[in-house]
Every structure is written in C-alpha cells, then in structure tokens.
Amino acid sequence: ANCCRLVKIDTIYFFILYIYRNLNGYLIMSERLIYDFTMNDIDDNPVTLEKFRNKVLLIVNVASKCGFTPQYEGLQELYQEFKEDGFSILAFPANDFLSQEPGTNSEIKQFCSVKYDVSFPVFSKISVKGNDISPLYTFLTAKDTNPEFSGTIKWNFTKFLVDRAGN
C-alpha cells in the first residue's frame, strides 16, 4: 500500500510540476528564464533576450586573440545555414582568460566584421567568471539552472545550447 501511495504522490507531483512549468513558462527549480535578462549589444544598446523566445540559441563566450578564435568562421556558417529555421547565436566577448579579449566593444565589432563577416548578434564585453561575473553567466552556470553542466566556465568559446522553450 505504501508503494502504491508513493507512486501516486510522485505522479501527482510530476503532473503539478508539468502544469506549473507549462502555464508559467519556467521551471520551479529556477524561477528565472533566459528571457528575463537584458544585455547590451556591441553598440551598448539594451537588448532583452525575450527577443529570442521560441528560437534555438547557442550562447558562446568569445575572444579575438584565442587559439579557438577561428571558430567564428564555423559559427557564422552555422548561423547562416539555420537562422531561417529559428536558430541564433549570441556571442559574448569576455577577457577572462589570459586577457585574450583586450579590445573595446568598437574594436571587437570591427574585428568580427572584417575578419569573419559575423552577422549573428554580438554583445558588449562581459565577465563570464569570477567576482564580476555577468548575471546571465551566473544563471547559465548555476546548479539550479544547469545541474549536469554547472560550474565555472573553463575557457573561451564555451557553448550553451538553449532549446525553444528556454531550457
């Protein structure tokens, strides 16, 4: 009898969690969504991430003087191929690893445009780790948000894939 009762309670709990998540658009564990954040674009204009709701997002911390910098080329190709299908790349320059992104936002914008013809959204330089970590990256790396992959960003070009529901 206790076994059946436990299954019934778990089923009810799951059902309530499912309804709550779908009606309110977020997980109970983390009361924030990726769409709750507003970040400045590379020209320092505020952009609400709500703009990207219902899209598949690849969020990447980037740097212009890193061994992985040529990934810009592949990222641009990926963006070009799938942008019409509701896919976007959000690039966040960061100078957290061996000062590999020393430029100003203007210099970063110029570099991305001239060197890699980047057309996906590039945002203002932020910090992705440490005491001055951006609230977005605090969210992305939190155990409540991302239990399987939580923790400190290890290097440039770390990627987060976000589905159309914001997970």
Side-chain angles (χ1 to χ4, degrees), residues 2-144:
N2 282 344
C3 175
C4 293
R5 184 167 181 249
L6 180 61
V7 169
K8 186 174 183 180
I9 289 170
D10 283 348
T11 302
I12 291 169
Y13 177 75
F14 175 78
F15 180 73
I16 290 169
L17 176 63
Y18 176 80
I19 295 296
Y20 187 78
R21 179 179 176 192
N22 286 298
L23 289 178
N24 291 301
Y26 56 84
L27 293 171
I28 289 175
M29 289 188 318
S30 174
E31 294 191 11
R32 283 194 98 169
L33 281 175
I34 193 84
Y35 311 117
D36 295 336
F37 293 90
T38 298
M39 304 298 291
N40 289 343
D41 68 14
I42 198 72
D43 295 316
D44 212 28
N45 299 309
V47 175
T48 175
L49 298 190
E50 177 69 33
K51 171 182 176 178
F52 300 99
R53 187 179 286 275
N54 298 319
K55 292 186 180 223
V56 174
L57 302 175
L58 187 64
I59 299 173
V60 187
N61 64 302
V62 295
S64 60
K65 297 188 181 303
C66 173
F68 294 138
T69 300
Q71 287 187 25
Y72 268 120
E73 185 176 347
L75 290 170
Q76 179 59 31
E77 289 173 10
L78 191 65
Y79 178 69
Q80 283 300 123
E81 184 171 344
F82 294 106
K83 70 180 180 180
E84 298 303 320
D85 297 323
F87 172 76
S88 191
I89 295 171
L90 308 183
F92 291 92
N95 197 35
D96 294 310
F97 305 100
L98 299 177
S99 299
Q100 293 183 344
E101 187 54 271
T104 65
N105 286 336
S106 178
E107 291 168 336
I108 295 166
K109 180 179 179 178
Q110 172 94 10
F111 172 82
C112 289
S113 176
V114 171
K115 180 85 172 160
Y116 292 102
D117 197 25
V118 167
S119 61
F120 53 81
V122 178
F123 290 81
S124 291
K125 188 160 55 170
I126 61 169
S127 180
V128 298
K129 70 174 197 162
N131 292 335
D132 60 344
I133 186 172
S134 161
L136 173 63
Y137 270 78
T138 297
F139 173 79
L140 289 171
T141 59
K143 190 170 182 91
D144 285 347

